[in-house]
Amino acid sequence: MLSPEELNVLLLSLKVSFWATACSLPIGMGAAWILARYDFPGKILVDGLVHLPLVLPPVVVGYLLLVTLNPNGSIGRMLSQVGIEIGFTWIGASVAAAIMAFPLMVRAMRLAFEMIDQRLELAARTLGASPLRMLFYISFPLAMPGIVTGTILAFARCLGEFGATITFVSNIPGETRTLPLAVYTLTQTPEGEAAAFRLVIISVFIALIALGISEVITRQAKARLGDQK
């Protein structure tokens, strides 16, 4: 059984991961579509920036967020003036998690868009479909397995985010202490091993569920493409 503090950590982690994934989903879909369908000057640079959090140390990402989004930072000051506080809040934890998970989301979605037979899109355009209508009625439905997979992987990655979060928003109980931060805290606390182990089991369980769902959807998508061929 989880203690009230452990339950709060779990619920906070789910809230942070949900909002991080939900808010980055439309941006990720747009970025994946553009990278999959268009060639433009500077595409390599844009692709590199999108995937940069995947190769940068999370602490570096957290530090950059701290510099720019804290109340004394360039962007953080403007947000504070309109009543939006990001630094050292659960919203900041969501921002850090979203940035770290963004590359995984885009990679899965981009692959799904690239696997679509572009002749179907061309046929829709020939029949008079507008680009927006083609996107929502042809491209998105065909790429839906990849979109769902990318969303699930991003959600799981958000649940496991540690380095950028603790650097950017610290480790505040009830506000920014998510599952990884709670496990870290408990391992540094006398007699906290049992509670840490329970949270580790929960983390592994949630991650396995997410990966299992992703694998099932991927296999179904491959089977459907095989039947179409």
Side-chain angles (χ1 to χ4, degrees):
M1 296 296 294
L2 297 177
S3 67
E5 292 80 8
E6 294 165 356
L7 183 59
N8 287 336
V9 167
L10 176 60
L11 294 178
L12 176 62
S13 298
L14 293 175
K15 181 173 76 169
V16 166
S17 300
F18 171 80
W19 285 109
T21 306
C23 292
S24 59
L25 180 58
I27 303 174
M29 291 174 64
W33 167 255
I34 291 172
L35 291 173
R37 285 290 181 264
Y38 296 100
D39 290 320
F40 52 88
K43 180 179 178 179
I44 295 178
L45 178 61
V46 173
D47 191 30
L49 290 175
V50 167
H51 292 89
L52 194 59
L54 197 63
V55 295
L56 275 180
V59 175
V60 173
V61 177
Y63 175 76
L64 293 175
L65 289 174
L66 182 63
V67 170
T68 56
L69 296 180
N70 78 85
N72 296 321
S74 55
I75 301 176
R77 187 182 301 109
M78 292 187 294
L79 293 175
S80 296
Q81 291 174 354
V82 296
I84 301 177
E85 297 291 341
I86 295 181
F88 306 104
T89 65
W90 72 269
I91 299 177
S94 297
V95 171
I99 291 176
M100 295 304 300
F102 191 71
L104 290 176
M105 176 184 289
V106 173
R107 285 174 68 88
M109 294 180 182
R110 179 180 178 178
L111 179 61
F113 285 127
E114 290 175 342
M115 291 176 64
I116 297 175
D117 189 345
Q118 295 190 39
R119 291 175 297 181
L120 297 174
E121 298 174 340
L122 181 60
R125 294 293 300 274
T126 303
L127 294 173
S130 65
L132 194 61
R133 186 177 181 85
M134 180 196 68
L135 189 63
F136 281 96
Y137 287 92
I138 302 295
S139 303
F140 282 173
L142 290 176
M144 190 55 63
I147 293 173
V148 174
T149 298
T151 303
I152 294 172
L153 290 176
F155 181 82
R157 178 65 182 85
C158 289
L159 279 174
E161 167 49 33
F162 176 81
T165 302
I166 197 171
T167 305
F168 177 38
V169 294
S170 189
N171 186 8
I172 305 173
E175 186 66 34
T176 65
R177 181 173 293 175
T178 55
L179 274 170
L181 274 66
V183 171
Y184 172 78
T185 301
L186 289 169
T187 58
Q188 309 300 314
T189 303
E191 300 181 358
E193 290 84 359
F197 184 74
R198 287 194 296 270
L199 294 180
V200 167
I201 293 298
I202 292 174
S203 300
V204 172
F205 183 70
I206 295 175
L208 287 176
I209 290 178
L211 292 174
I213 294 174
S214 174
E215 181 64 21
V216 169
I217 293 174
T218 301
R219 289 185 179 183
Q220 290 178 346
K222 290 182 179 179
R224 187 180 68 176
L225 290 174
D227 292 339
Q228 291 178 349
K229 293 178 181 179

